Amino acid sequence: MDYRNLGASGLRVPVLSFGAGTFGGSGPLFGAWGNTDAEEARRLVDICLEAGVNLFDTADVYSAGASEEVLGQAIRGRRDAVLISTKTALPMGEGPQDWGTSRARLIRATEDALRRLGTDYIDLLQLHAFDASTPVEEVLSTLDRLVAVGKIRYVGVSNFAGWELMKSLAAAERHGYPRYVAHQVYYSLAGRDYEWELMPLGADQGVGALVWSPLAWGRLTGKLRRGQPLPKASRLHETAQYGPPVDDEKLFDIVEVLDAIAGENGRTVPQIAINWLLNRPTVSSVIIGARNEEQLRQNLGAVGWSLSREQTERLDAVSTVTAPYPYFPYCRQEGFARLNPPIV
């Protein structure tokens, strides 16, 4: 397993990390992902650690805290061997203080996460969404205090727009607060919007990407084929409306190229899709998930080898789309490209 610095920080993370969204799964979304109990979770953690994957990602909103609880049980007795990443901001109840990132909510959410995880510190706390109702200075000063007292080590965000992230980074610089070193983002061969603004921002500001849903919400598993219905066992029957939109014809074009390259390399379609991501600018770690040991071992097989330059170019070509304004001139026009060199 290779390790990379998380953005412009000293925290070294594995290029593959494990997403615990299946742990304790319940409800229409997370229940469809999986419902791994503590015993099964401990076995998956064992396999991860054997492979060098020591970063485990969760969130308070995953199954109303059950994911954090199960992860805490699975790592019991080996806290020093793992890195824990969790997220907060999305609603955990119906009350006015049950969502967002106000000082009161952040402090309470951190304490609740620590209790559920059974630990006294969180390696990486990420804001799951931008809270436009709370001044960024209030958010950052609260995070600064939580870092100072040792309850969290590093801070990051997830699903921020470019201006939201840049505004926060500027405020942190101005006041001497901890800077966000990670941005947990959706990025896949079937969804490359991250490249238009957030990737250049991350490269410029030292914010590393933690990639969620590298298989495009289960669409790049190789099970979806042109002209064929969804497999009966696909979770897309219940969860497609929650995930990022994907153009079906574009998806099938991508899958066909993935399938061909998988055959050339003796690999699976998911392994090719994940390996492509590992070589993209700003990517610190790709978060893989698994409902069982077989899925986990297959996804772990995405490292330890490389796509050829020609294979990468084929994947780039089939997955590229025209960027919207104001980004497309920087991709198309020579003068724009010279002023702002593309990094992809």
Side-chain angles (χ1 to χ4, degrees):
M1 185 62 55
D2 292 330
Y3 298 83
R4 298 173 180 172
N5 283 70
L6 181 57
S9 80
L11 182 63
R12 300 281 290 172
V13 297
V15 294
L16 294 182
S17 46
F18 184 86
T22 59
F23 288 6
S26 63
L29 175 56
F30 301 108
W33 284 8
N35 57 354
T36 305
D37 61 21
E39 182 179 353
E40 294 170 320
R42 191 170 184 87
R43 176 58 182 155
L44 295 179
V45 170
D46 288 341
I47 295 169
C48 284
L49 292 178
E50 289 169 4
V53 174
N54 65 342
L55 174 59
F56 298 88
D57 180 75
T58 183
D60 56 7
V61 76
Y62 293 172
S63 301
S67 173
E68 289 180 328
E69 291 176 350
V70 172
L71 177 58
Q73 295 171 41
I75 64 169
R76 187 172 298 160
R78 46 185 170 175
R79 176 65 181 92
D80 291 343
V82 304
L83 299 172
I84 295 176
S85 162
T86 193
K87 302 179 288 293
T88 191
L90 297 179
M92 288 289 286
E94 301 296 329
Q97 299 298 330
D98 291 333
W99 62 274
T101 54
S102 67
R103 177 172 290 112
R105 172 74 201 290
L106 270 179
I107 292 172
R108 180 160 58 90
T110 301
E111 296 289 356
D112 289 345
L114 290 170
R115 173 179 49 79
R116 286 190 291 262
L117 289 162
T119 185
D120 56 3
Y121 69 95
I122 295 165
D123 296 283
L124 174 64
L125 180 70
Q126 298 160 97
L127 308 185
H128 216 159
F130 182 74
D131 178 4
S133 67
T134 301
V136 295
E137 289 81 6
E138 178 179 334
V139 176
L140 291 165
S141 64
T142 305
L143 293 173
D144 180 52
R145 181 59 182 164
L146 290 168
V147 170
V149 298
K151 294 188 177 181
I152 57 179
R153 301 285 171 84
Y154 293 90
V155 293
V157 298
S158 180
N159 303 321
F160 272 37
W163 74 266
E164 296 164 347
L165 178 54
M166 194 63 239
K167 179 177 181 178
S168 301
L169 292 170
E173 186 76 18
R174 187 164 58 248
H175 297 288
Y177 296 140
R179 285 171 56 88
Y180 297 135
V181 299
H183 193 183
Q184 191 166 143
V185 298
Y186 168 60
Y187 187 27
S188 77
L189 277 164
R192 295 177 59 179
D193 297 6
Y194 168 69
E195 297 173 0
W196 297 338
E197 181 172 36
L198 295 175
M199 179 184 282
L201 192 163
D204 181 71
Q205 294 293 312
V207 180
L210 297 176
V211 177
W212 62 263
S213 201
L215 300 181
W217 212 250
R219 293 178 172 90
L220 297 178
T221 60
K223 298 177 182 178
L224 274 64
R225 301 288 174 168
R226 195 188 307 271
Q228 298 182 17
L230 280 178
K232 291 183 179 180
S234 174
R235 72 184 189 193
L236 287 169
H237 292 287
E238 290 81 27
T239 66
Q241 70 270 28
Y242 299 109
V246 174
D247 177 82
D248 284 344
E249 288 306 307
K250 189 71 172 177
L251 172 69
F252 295 136
D253 290 342
I254 294 168
V255 170
E256 287 170 1
V257 176
L258 280 169
D259 198 34
I261 294 175
E264 294 165 9
N265 290 60
R267 300 286 175 176
T268 67
V269 166
Q271 288 170 349
I272 301 296
I274 293 169
N275 189 275
W276 178 86
L277 283 166
L278 295 175
N279 295 292
R280 307 304 291 173
T282 74
V283 171
S284 294
S285 186
V286 174
I287 302 170
I288 59 173
R291 284 186 284 186
N292 54 52
E293 181 175 336
E294 179 183 359
Q295 286 183 347
L296 176 55
R297 291 192 184 278
Q298 181 184 112
N299 288 338
L300 289 172
V303 298
W305 55 276
S306 298
L307 293 164
S308 71
R309 180 173 180 176
E310 184 271 339
Q311 290 170 335
T312 299
E313 289 173 349
R314 284 157 59 191
L315 291 169
D316 291 348
V318 74
S319 62
T320 191
V321 296
T322 300
Y325 176 82
Y327 311 109
F328 74 80
Y330 294 88
C331 302
R332 290 182 177 180
Q333 295 173 228
E334 183 180 352
F336 281 84
R338 283 200 303 267
L339 291 172
N340 186 13
I343 62 172
V344 296

